[in-house]
Each structure stands twice: as C-alpha cells, then as structure tokens.
Amino acid sequence: MNDIEQIASLLSITALENLEDFRFIKERITRVPYLFAKEKKILPIDETADKILVATSDPLNIHSMHDIGFYLNKQVEPCFCSSEILEEAIERCYQKENPKEDRSTDSQEYDLLAEKSDNPVIQFLNRIFQEAVTKGASDIHFEPQENELTVRYRIDGVLQKRYSPSKKMQAQLVTRIKVLAKLDIAEQRLPQDGRIKIKLKEKEIDFRVSTIPTIFGERVVLRILDKGNIALGLDHIGLAEADLK
C-alpha cells in the first residue's frame, strides 16, 4: 500500500491513481474556475443528480470542499490523488480556456423564479434580488461589519438598511454572488467586476457587480440596470408646458 492509499484509508475516502477515465476529464467539463482549482488543489471529475465527485491532493482542505458543495448545491464525495496527477488533469480539463479571460460578458441568463433550492443562502439572495427590483432600488450593498453583515438598498438616491444577516452567512452570500457573476471566488485580496443577468417575470435585468476587499471581508455592490425602466423625456414628467420653455 503506497502513501496515497494509506492516507485515503485513514480518512475513509477513495484513492485514485488515474483521473483520465472520469467523464469531466475526458469531455473537458469544468465546474469551478481555473484559478480556484489550481490554488485550492481541487477538481470536480464527475457528478450525479445529487452528488459531485471531487479529486484533491489536499484532502484536509475542508473549506474548499464546503465551497464547492455550496455553490454547486450538491453533496461532495472527495477522492485523494497525487499532486502530479491532479495538476495534469487540471491542465487537460482547462486547456481550451484562458484563465485570464473575462467571463463577465457571458450571456447566460439566470431565471430567478425558476431557481428552486432548499439552500437558505440561495433562497435569501433570491429574495433580495426580487425585493430590490420590486422596490425600484438602483443598488444593493453588502457591507461587512465586525460582527454582522449589513444589506442596504439605494432607493431614490438614499441608502436604506434592509437586512442584518448572521456574520456566518457572509462568506456564503459573497461566494454565491461571485459564482453568478463568474468572478474568481478564490481571489479575496483584489477588487473584481462582473455581471449577472437575471430574468424576472419576463423582464431582463442586469446587475453590475463590484467586489472590494475590506478589513472585515469583501464588500459587494450590485448596480441594478432594469431594461424596463426607460428614462422619460422632459415632456413626460408632469411639468407644465410653460415650465418647459
């Protein structure tokens, strides 16, 4: 029994000597950003309806396993392999992708009302999106504090406090937003910009996403661009004809 098998046996997980025969590797299917896979030494290699099979050369990296399970909304089944095998699989899987490419322009649309999930974080974020649009907010602010996360809407130019979710929910909310905006979830030290396209009751709504590192975590601002709210001309805002002259 080699070292990989011994460690896997102690952790009660599967040891793998080869990743080439797994579906995601053969078909070059990617489920996480390239930089995340490289930095966290972790790679999804196959999946079922409710489970994702993940190869890693660092089986004690519980936080990364949790992150993958969260934003894929599936149970994670970890497998242990050597660093060399994992690196080769990552490069093969992503060889058609440019890791520095800006994917924020991807036109994939997220249908808010069609999204069904039992995950409380996903449900909470969906409620925020829908509520902010309904209330006519122009921005949503996720502001990390020392002991809590503050969620504010900008309505008629004024920031209004709406929610103060548990600090424990902060990282999961930020991760979910980053996934939807196709940002690098592993990068927490530099600002990032992206976009989320949402469909809500036949309306198409763009969210411009900006993340900014702070001492208490990443601050996230979403600018809401509702294509249905078209700016009115001066002759349509209720002014008397004499006032327009």
Side-chain angles (χ1 to χ4, degrees), residues 100-125:
K100 296 183 179 180
E101 180 184 2
D102 180 8
R103 297 184 178 86
S104 64
T105 57
D106 195 307
S107 60
Q108 184 177 359
E109 195 173 69
Y110 175 64
D111 193 335
L112 191 63
L113 298 183
E115 174 71 15
K116 304 297 182 183
S117 174
D118 294 328
N119 188 304
V121 174
I122 294 177
Q123 291 178 346
F124 180 54
L125 188 59

Side-chain angles (χ1 to χ4, degrees), residues 154-218:
R154 186 181 297 278
I155 300 176
D156 295 330
V158 180
L159 272 177
Q160 304 176 12
K161 184 175 180 179
R162 186 68 182 93
Y163 297 107
S164 296
S166 166
K167 186 73 173 178
K168 296 179 181 178
M169 193 179 283
Q170 177 177 314
Q172 295 178 327
L173 282 169
V174 173
T175 297
R176 176 64 176 170
I177 293 170
K178 282 184 169 183
V179 169
L180 292 175
K182 300 188 181 299
L183 301 180
D184 180 5
I185 64 174
E187 179 57 74
Q188 300 178 4
R189 297 167 296 177
L190 298 174
Q192 296 188 72
D193 294 299
R195 184 181 71 175
I196 302 172
K197 292 185 68 176
I198 284 180
K199 182 179 180 182
L200 179 62
K201 294 181 179 179
E202 304 305 321
K203 294 178 65 177
E204 292 184 2
I205 302 161
D206 278 352
F207 289 75
R208 302 294 181 177
V209 182
S210 297
T211 66
I212 303 171
T214 74
I215 190 173
F216 298 123
E218 290 180 280

Side-chain angles (χ1 to χ4, degrees), residues 21-80:
D21 294 331
F22 288 92
R23 182 166 63 92
F24 285 7
I25 310 303
K26 290 193 295 185
E27 300 178 14
R28 295 187 174 91
I29 297 173
T30 59
R31 286 288 186 266
V32 298
Y34 173 81
L35 295 177
F36 179 84
K38 289 281 288 185
E39 182 174 325
K40 302 300 183 181
K41 301 176 182 178
I42 194 167
L43 181 68
I45 56 177
D46 207 342
E47 68 180 342
T48 62
D50 58 355
K51 185 182 297 184
I52 184 102
L53 190 64
V54 176
T56 179
S57 59
D58 183 9
L60 298 181
N61 189 353
I62 306 300
H63 293 296
S64 295
M65 293 289 183
H66 178 270
D67 286 344
I68 284 183
F70 167 72
Y71 69 76
L72 293 180
N73 199 27
K74 292 189 177 185
Q75 179 184 347
V76 173
E77 181 179 329
C79 301
F80 187 33

